[in-house]
């Protein structure tokens, strides 16, 4: 038997009521015709008119009542078929049903996955020893409150933050329910947002403080010192350039996040793009005493993407290699085709032979404002956002980046672009 919702019942009742209201008018009209025309004085006309009037008076009130009663029976039968186990299984969040002794009566699959063994009869105060969970269980079981909620942190195997709500089930059942709403991702995003604002504020405050200090000096002790004035103005210009680079990178990140799911629709000549990047950074490489070497596979190297964004990716990676790998004397740019993954890719590797990156830094190196060496990065006019921009662009291109490095042997950044 199909389930009947409240909306369905109301709709059905409305249709039936309108139908029988129309039937009432029809019956009343027929009765009037019989009475007025009397059909030649037929003996059966008047009794039939009376029957029609009585039918019009009683039938409309009886039929909708029977429909409503039938709907109530359907609803009752449908609810009887539902059990607490089925309802708990339909909930995606961890859900635990427990009794007045705070022992587990039933736990759904999500609860087993999140907290391990949750067999019936398990004591919840022994399973969840945090003070806030003990207080939540006590307040609900004791009847002080009908429902309550607390924040709970599960430490192992990984840290998870839950919003836990507890409430009684029905009236007189002496059963209660715990529902765990995972807040870990929300908390992580909030923490990232707070860290981002703090880092951006710090990065802007430092050059602003420097500029303010030099302005004060130029208006005071160095007012009539041409040499000091020239030196301070040069430093101030460098600091304003640093702020401008930071703002440009922040705007780039913002634009990329706004179109993160907009797939590029053009095709890019990767060979020509890489040649343009190498040519544009030739002065930087030359000033650092570096030689940029090429090792490109033969044939066409067209890939789907946005040329300006891919240019920004390779420019950023090659610029980092030139800045931080100067001691190696050379940078190698390699392009190769790969069929190692589920789909063919074109892999672009930019490798330097400098000091390399310690292994513990590699997983976090694409985070915003993360720096392996803060002083070296600032000395090289880095904003700490370059690799984060690279990651966002590659995500939009359904591509990825892999990083290999060994201390003393340089670092290699490989961009894996889909070939099709």
């Amino acid at each position: 038997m199909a389930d009947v919702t409240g909306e369905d019942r109301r709709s059905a009742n409305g249709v039936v009521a309108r139908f029988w209201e129309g039937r009432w008018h029809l019956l009343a009209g027929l009765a009037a015709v019989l009475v007025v025309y009397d059909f030649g004085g037929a003996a059966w006309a008047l009794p039939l008119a009376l029957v029609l009037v009585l039918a019009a008076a009683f039938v409309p009130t009886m039929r909708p009542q029977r429909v409503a009663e039938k709907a109530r029976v359907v609803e009752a039968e449908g609810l009887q078929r539902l059990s607490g186990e089925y309802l708990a299984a339909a909930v995606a969040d961890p859900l635990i049903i427990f009794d007045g002794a705070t022992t587990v009566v039933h736990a759904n699959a999500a609860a087993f996955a999140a907290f391990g063994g949750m067999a019936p009869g398990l004591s919840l105060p022994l399973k969840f020893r945090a003070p806030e969970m003990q207080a939540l269980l006590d307040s609900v079981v004791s009847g002080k409150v009908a429902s309550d909620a607390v924040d709970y942190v599960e430490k192992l195997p990984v840290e998870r933050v839950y919003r836990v709500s507890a409430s009684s089930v029905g009236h007189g059942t002496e059963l209660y329910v715990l529902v765990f709403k995972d807040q870990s991702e929300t908390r992580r995003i909030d923490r990232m947002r707070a860290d981002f604002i703090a880092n951006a504020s710090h990065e802007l405050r430092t050059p602003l403080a420097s500029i303010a200090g030099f302005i004060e000096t130029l208006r005071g002790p160095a007012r009539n010192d041409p040499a000091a004035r020239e030196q301070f103005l040069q430093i101030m210009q460098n600091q304003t350039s640093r702020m401008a680079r930071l703002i440009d990178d922040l705007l780039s990140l913002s634009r990329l996040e706004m179109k993160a799911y907009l797939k590029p629709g053009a095709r890019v000549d990767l060979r020509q793009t890489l040649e343009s990047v190498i040519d544009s950074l030739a002065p930087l490489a030359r000033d650092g005493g570096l030689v940029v070497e090429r090792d490109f596979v033969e044939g066409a190297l067209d890939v789907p993407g946005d040329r300006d964004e891919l240019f920004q990716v390779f420019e950023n990676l090659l610029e980092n290699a030139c800045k931080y790998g100067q001691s190696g004397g050379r940078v190698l740019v390699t392009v190769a085709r790969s069929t190692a993954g589920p789909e063919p890719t074109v892999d672009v590797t930019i490798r330097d032979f400098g000091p390399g990156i310690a292994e513990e830094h590699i997983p976090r190196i694409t985070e915003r404002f993360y720096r392996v060496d803060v002083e070296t990065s600032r000395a090289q006019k880095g904003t700490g956002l370059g690799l984060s921009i690279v990651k966002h662009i590659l995500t939009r291109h359904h591509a990825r980046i892999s990083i290999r490095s060994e201390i003393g042997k340089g670092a290699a950044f490989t961009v894996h672009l889909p070939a099709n």
Side-chain angles (χ1 to χ4, degrees):
M1 184 182 295
D3 293 338
V4 178
T5 65
E7 186 65 29
D8 293 334
R9 291 196 304 275
R10 287 191 295 271
S11 177
N13 291 342
V15 171
V16 171
R18 287 192 297 272
F19 173 77
W20 285 102
E21 285 174 4
R23 180 62 60 86
W24 184 89
H25 292 298
L26 178 61
L27 293 174
L30 289 174
V33 169
L34 290 171
V35 171
V36 172
Y37 291 98
D38 197 24
F39 286 92
W44 52 266
L46 184 58
L48 181 58
L50 291 174
V51 171
L52 291 175
V53 170
L54 290 175
F58 290 101
V59 172
T61 60
M62 295 168 59
R63 182 63 180 176
Q65 289 177 356
R66 287 200 296 270
V67 172
E69 181 63 28
K70 183 178 179 181
R72 284 194 291 270
V73 171
V74 170
E75 180 182 24
E77 291 178 354
L79 289 176
Q80 287 173 0
R81 293 199 306 273
L82 292 176
S83 69
E85 182 179 353
Y86 292 153
L87 292 174
V91 177
D93 297 317
L95 183 147
I96 301 171
I97 301 173
F98 63 98
D99 58 19
T102 63
T103 57
V104 175
V105 175
H106 178 73
N108 66 359
F112 275 91
F115 309 116
M118 297 295 297
L122 176 68
S123 174
L124 287 177
L126 294 179
K127 180 67 175 179
F128 302 104
R129 297 177 180 271
E132 60 271 18
M133 289 294 292
Q134 304 277 338
L136 176 66
L137 294 171
D138 290 341
S139 63
V140 173
V141 171
S142 65
K144 293 179 181 178
V145 294
S147 63
D148 202 358
V150 297
D151 290 328
Y152 169 66
V153 180
E154 182 79 5
K155 298 291 186 181
L156 296 174
V158 294
E159 183 173 318
R160 310 291 297 180
V161 181
Y162 294 97
R163 182 66 176 173
V164 187
S165 58
S167 61
S168 58
V169 179
H171 299 285
T173 63
E174 295 186 358
L175 292 177
Y176 308 87
V177 64
L178 282 176
V179 180
F180 295 75
K181 190 71 175 179
D182 195 341
Q183 303 289 311
S184 305
E185 185 65 17
T186 302
R187 296 293 181 89
R188 186 185 69 85
I189 293 173
D190 288 342
R191 192 181 306 117
M192 287 178 60
R193 184 184 295 111
D195 290 345
F196 174 75
I197 293 173
N199 287 327
S201 300
H202 174 75
E203 292 294 331
L204 289 171
R205 188 183 297 113
T206 301
L208 281 173
S210 176
I211 292 171
F214 286 125
I215 290 174
E216 184 178 353
T217 304
L218 288 172
R219 298 181 65 183
R223 181 189 300 271
N224 299 316
D225 187 341
R229 183 167 61 248
E230 185 63 27
Q231 179 186 1
F232 292 163
L233 288 173
Q234 181 61 50
I235 296 174
M236 290 167 64
Q237 183 179 3
N238 293 339
Q239 295 296 335
T240 55
S241 298
R242 176 184 167 190
M243 284 193 294
R245 289 194 302 272
L246 177 60
I247 292 170
D248 288 342
D249 284 351
L250 288 172
L251 290 174
S252 294
L253 273 177
S254 178
R255 285 192 295 268
L256 288 169
E257 289 177 344
M258 289 176 64
K259 57 181 181 180
Y261 302 104
L262 183 62
K263 185 178 179 180
R267 294 194 68 83
V268 180
D269 184 342
L270 206 56
R271 188 188 306 275
Q272 187 271 334
T273 302
L274 287 169
E275 292 287 0
S276 298
V277 170
I278 294 171
D279 291 343
S280 67
L281 292 176
L284 177 64
R286 186 168 54 251
D287 293 342
L290 290 165
V291 176
V292 179
E293 302 175 357
R294 301 168 176 82
D295 184 8
F296 295 176
V297 69
E298 296 295 330
L301 292 174
D302 288 350
V303 296
D306 182 291
R307 184 188 183 280
D308 291 338
E309 291 184 1
L310 291 180
F311 185 97
Q312 188 176 7
V313 165
F314 299 125
E315 182 182 46
N316 201 306
L317 295 177
L318 184 57
E319 184 177 3
N320 285 347
C322 292
K323 286 179 178 179
Y324 303 109
Q326 291 183 4
S327 60
R330 66 190 181 104
V331 173
L332 178 61
V333 180
T334 304
V335 182
R337 295 186 181 89
S338 173
T339 56
E343 295 183 358
T345 60
V346 177
D347 298 344
V348 180
T349 302
I350 298 178
R351 181 184 179 188
D352 67 72
F353 297 86
I357 304 169
E359 185 177 358
E360 63 268 21
H361 294 296
I362 292 177
R364 300 190 58 191
I365 201 170
T366 57
E367 293 180 10
R368 297 178 182 184
F369 295 111
Y370 187 84
R371 293 184 173 96
V372 175
D373 186 329
V374 176
E375 295 303 323
T376 301
S377 175
R378 287 180 177 168
Q380 297 290 350
K381 301 180 180 180
T383 63
L385 294 172
L387 290 178
S388 181
I389 292 173
V390 166
K391 183 181 72 173
H392 276 74
I393 292 175
L394 294 181
T395 299
R396 194 169 94 84
H397 284 71
H398 299 283
R400 61 186 178 88
I401 185 170
S402 60
I403 305 170
R404 304 185 310 278
S405 183
E406 188 176 345
I407 295 296
K409 296 184 178 180
F413 293 77
T414 302
V415 174
H416 307 271
L417 292 163
N420 300 320

